[in-house]
């Protein structure tokens, strides 16, 4: 399988980040339902935006792997891509689960690399070649064997000790890192900044942990003491810092963990998905000021929230907010749109008036022709009468 042989899309994305030039900052996005199916709102990592992007709304360019450019709009206040991202995602058939790497190559231009969850792209091929070249460079270090026989006891010397082998230049002591076939001995360069798409946050790298004590929300004093615990498992590593902060704010607003009443025994993946969907909907609601979601988005949000409520998530406050959005009257059309429609209507009226005028002219011509025909018929009748009554 793809994941079995080459790792997940996220792992391949992290490998790609290592190979990208360090002078251009990069980050990773793991595609969710709200990114590529409904809403098409793509929030960017706040740290990345604060360091490298302007505070105001800016037009940006997204360049794909084939060199094609797509215009998009970066909303500085909301730190995300709005107009233009939908078209890019649809044109490139980006699916939920795919991973997208964004590399800022200039102040307002991103080089975009797409790594599919279920198949390979041009980026994967290029990444494979880069890894192959890296492997060739390491071959000289791999020529020595892990186990070398000593002259005295013909015993195998473990790789932990340094060994003496003959080379063309003479005897040279080779440290254990060089005699080992394990290419991973070299320290892996630090991966560039990743965001909510990472399955493990940069600040939490130890994976899912067991938690012996249950944490009451009253004991949570700040974000540093906030932890997401489900069925005795601390699953903070499944959420990047940005989304954990959003979830922390939601819990603070309700003064309790939103997941505390989840059904017992649920699969951890389902639990993570439920919390992530709650966060995405909350972020979508907050983004309503920056963009105008369709009524269909509100309906989808409501259905998803109702499903989350059945699982035990405390989302009543979000349901209430979505109901409020659904009850709002339809937004009036933009003045420019109304003016354009009025101009089109006036043009149609003029066209109809022109046709009516042409028809009136034709009607007048027909009336004149009818009068001439009646006059001619009368003259013919008189001449016939004269001939009929003339003396023989």
């Amino acid at each position: 399988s793809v994941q079995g042989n080459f790792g997940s899309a996220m792992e391949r994305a992290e490998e790609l980040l290592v190979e990208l030039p360090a002078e251009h900052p990069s980050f990773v996005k793991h595609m969710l339902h709200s990114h590529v199916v409904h809403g098409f709102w793509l929030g960017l990592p706040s740290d990345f935006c604060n360091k490298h992007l302007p505070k105001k709304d800016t037009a940006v360019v997204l360049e794909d792997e084939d060199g094609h450019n797509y215009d998009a709009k970066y909303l500085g206040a909301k730190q995300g891509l709005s107009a233009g991202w939908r078209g890019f995602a649809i044109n490139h058939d980006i699916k939920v689960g795919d991973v997208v790497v964004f590399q800022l190559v200039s102040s307002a231009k991103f080089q975009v690399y797409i790594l599919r969850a279920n198949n390979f792209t041009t980026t994967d091929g290029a990444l494979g070649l880069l890894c192959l070249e890296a492997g060739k460079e390491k071959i000289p270090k791999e020529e020595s064997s892990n186990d070398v026989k000593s002259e005295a006891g013909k015993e195998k010397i473990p790789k932990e000790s340094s060994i003496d082998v003959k080379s063309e230049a003479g005897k040279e002591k080779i440290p254990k890192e060089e005699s080992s076939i394990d290419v991973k001995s070299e320290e892996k360069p630090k991966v560039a900044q990743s965001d909510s798409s990472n399955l493990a946050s940069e600040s939490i790298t130890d994976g899912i942990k067991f938690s012996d004590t249950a944490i009451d929300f009253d004991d949570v004093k700040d974000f540093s003491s906030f932890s997401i615990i489900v069925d005795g498992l601390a699953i903070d590593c499944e959420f990047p810092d940005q989304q954990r902060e959003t979830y922390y704010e939601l819990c603070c607003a309700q003064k309790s963990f939103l997941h505390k009443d989840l059904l017992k025994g649920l699969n951890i993946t389902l639990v993570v998905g439920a919390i992530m969907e709650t966060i995405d909907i909350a972020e979508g609601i907050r983004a309503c000021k920056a963009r105008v979601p369709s009524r269909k988005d509100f309906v989808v949000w409501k259905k998803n929230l109702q499903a989350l409520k059945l699982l035990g998530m405390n989302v009543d406050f979000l349901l209430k907010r979505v109901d409020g959005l659904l009850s709002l009257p339809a937004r009036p059309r933009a003045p420019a749109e109304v003016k354009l429609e009025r101009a089109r209507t006036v043009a149609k009226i003029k066209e109809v008036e022109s046709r009516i005028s042409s028809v009136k002219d034709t009607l007048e011509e027909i009336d004149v022709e009818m009068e001439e025909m009646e006059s001619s018929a009368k003259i013919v009748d008189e001449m016939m009468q004269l001939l009929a009554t003339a003396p023989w």
Side-chain angles (χ1 to χ4, degrees):
S1 65
V2 170
Q3 291 188 352
N5 294 332
F6 298 94
S8 67
M10 179 57 66
E11 291 172 346
R12 286 180 277 137
E14 291 179 350
E15 292 176 4
L16 174 62
L17 285 175
V18 175
E19 303 296 340
L20 292 178
E23 61 268 19
H24 298 306
S26 307
F27 66 89
V28 174
K29 286 294 293 186
H30 184 256
M31 295 294 103
L32 304 176
H33 195 268
S34 59
H35 298 155
V36 295
V37 179
H38 290 290
F40 288 91
W41 169 251
L42 187 69
L44 307 186
S46 57
D47 290 344
F48 184 93
C49 296
N50 293 333
K51 291 180 182 178
H52 307 293
L53 296 178
K55 304 297 183 183
K56 60 182 181 180
D57 295 355
T58 307
V60 298
V61 175
L62 305 178
E63 181 177 337
D64 63 16
E65 301 160 47
D66 297 323
H68 300 144
N69 292 332
Y70 297 79
D71 294 328
K73 187 173 184 180
Y74 169 72
L75 302 178
K78 294 298 178 181
Q79 295 185 336
L81 295 180
S82 181
W85 165 250
R86 177 190 179 97
F88 184 90
I90 293 175
N91 288 342
H92 293 80
D93 195 28
I94 301 178
K95 303 294 186 182
V96 174
D98 290 346
V99 176
V100 181
V101 177
F102 292 83
Q103 182 186 26
L104 188 64
V105 295
S106 66
S107 60
K109 183 175 182 179
F110 285 100
Q111 178 69 51
V112 183
Y113 302 93
I114 303 170
L115 295 105
R116 308 290 183 182
N118 297 321
N119 52 35
F120 294 105
T121 62
T122 304
T123 299
D124 293 299
L127 178 60
L129 291 176
L130 289 172
C131 292
L132 179 60
E133 293 299 325
K136 288 181 178 179
E137 294 176 358
K138 297 174 185 176
I139 288 177
K141 297 182 180 181
E142 300 172 3
E143 291 179 351
S144 57
S145 173
N146 282 342
D147 299 324
V148 180
K149 293 183 178 180
S150 64
E151 296 180 359
K154 303 294 183 177
E155 295 177 352
K156 291 185 177 180
I157 301 175
K159 63 180 180 181
E160 286 78 5
S161 60
S162 297
I163 58 177
D164 295 333
V165 295
K166 291 184 178 180
S167 62
E168 294 181 0
K171 292 187 177 180
E172 181 181 36
K173 181 170 287 188
I174 301 177
K176 62 180 181 180
E177 289 82 5
E178 295 185 1
S179 62
S180 173
I181 296 180
D182 187 5
V183 181
K184 295 182 180 179
S185 59
E186 294 185 359
E187 183 178 355
K188 186 176 182 180
K190 185 177 180 181
V191 177
Q193 177 185 6
S194 60
D195 74 319
S196 60
S197 53
N198 265 329
L199 296 181
S201 169
E202 292 180 356
S203 62
I204 303 175
T205 58
D206 295 335
I208 297 176
K209 300 179 180 179
F210 288 100
S211 177
D212 297 331
T213 59
I215 300 178
D216 190 85
F217 193 77
D218 294 334
D219 299 331
V220 178
K221 304 303 180 183
D222 51 28
F223 179 67
S224 61
S225 60
F226 177 74
S227 183
I228 305 174
I229 299 176
V230 178
D231 291 341
L233 296 176
I235 59 174
D236 300 78
C237 66
E238 298 294 324
F239 304 91
D241 288 341
Q242 182 182 359
Q243 290 196 325
R244 286 181 65 241
E245 288 177 3
T246 301
Y247 189 58
Y248 168 70
E249 293 172 359
L250 293 174
C251 293
C252 287
Q254 301 305 303
K255 298 180 180 179
S256 67
F257 291 106
L258 303 187
H259 60 275
K260 68 175 183 178
D261 295 326
L262 276 173
L263 299 176
K264 300 298 181 182
L266 290 178
N267 183 280
I268 290 298
T269 302
L270 179 59
V271 172
V272 173
I275 296 176
M276 293 281 275
E277 184 65 19
T278 302
I279 296 170
D280 288 341
I281 293 175
E283 290 179 342
I285 293 173
R286 287 299 191 206
C288 285
K289 291 178 64 178
R291 63 182 184 88
V292 184
S294 66
R295 187 176 180 84
K296 291 182 180 179
D297 291 333
F298 297 149
V299 173
V300 171
W301 290 349
K302 183 173 182 178
K303 289 182 178 179
N304 291 346
L305 288 172
Q306 289 172 339
L308 292 172
K309 185 177 179 180
L310 292 176
L311 292 176
M313 288 291 295
N314 177 17
V315 292
D316 288 332
F317 68 105
L318 292 176
L319 271 170
K320 184 177 180 180
R321 185 65 58 89
V322 172
D323 285 336
L325 293 172
L326 284 170
S327 65
L328 293 176
R331 286 177 60 91
R333 291 184 296 171
E337 183 181 351
V338 177
K339 289 180 180 179
L340 179 60
E341 185 175 352
R342 185 181 184 280
R344 290 173 178 172
T345 304
V346 171
K348 288 182 180 180
I349 291 174
K350 290 182 179 179
E351 182 180 355
V352 172
E353 288 177 347
S354 176
R355 290 182 180 180
I356 291 175
S357 177
S358 177
V359 171
K360 285 182 178 179
D361 293 340
T362 304
L363 183 60
E364 290 177 358
E365 292 176 358
I366 293 174
D367 290 340
V368 171
E369 185 177 357
M370 288 181 65
E371 290 177 358
E372 292 177 353
M373 289 175 62
E374 290 178 355
S375 177
S376 298
K378 187 176 181 181
I379 293 173
V380 171
D381 289 342
E382 290 176 354
M383 292 178 65
M384 185 178 294
Q385 185 67 25
L386 290 173
L387 288 173
T389 57
W392 299 107

